[in-house]
Amino acid sequence: MIYESQSEGIEEDIANVTHRVLFVLAIAASIDAMAAGYAITLLEVDIAVACLIIGVTTFAFS
């Protein structure tokens, strides 16, 4: 990702992203979040701690 951000021509790649591509990515992210939520319910963990860790990690990487 770092290499791609420094390379030339990234604007053309961004311009090729359509609404259909964004919609498919949104569906994929939703399915991933659903699977992660289901997996957390199968584990014997405190849901508050799990949410805190997920929130902190998401904040750190965004």
Side-chain angles (χ1 to χ4, degrees):
M1 290 176 66
I2 295 172
Y3 172 76
E4 290 173 352
S5 70
Q6 301 300 319
S7 64
E8 298 293 324
I10 192 71
E11 292 82 14
E12 291 125 14
D13 292 337
I14 293 172
N16 291 332
V17 175
T18 63
H19 289 7
R20 179 175 288 171
V21 171
L22 289 176
F23 181 72
V24 170
L25 290 173
I27 295 296
S30 297
I31 292 171
D32 181 56
M34 182 182 67
Y38 180 72
I40 287 176
T41 61
L42 296 176
L43 301 172
E44 301 277 331
V45 296
D46 184 21
I47 193 67
V49 173
C51 288
L52 180 67
I53 292 170
I54 292 169
V56 168
T57 305
T58 302
F59 178 77
F61 284 107
S62 63

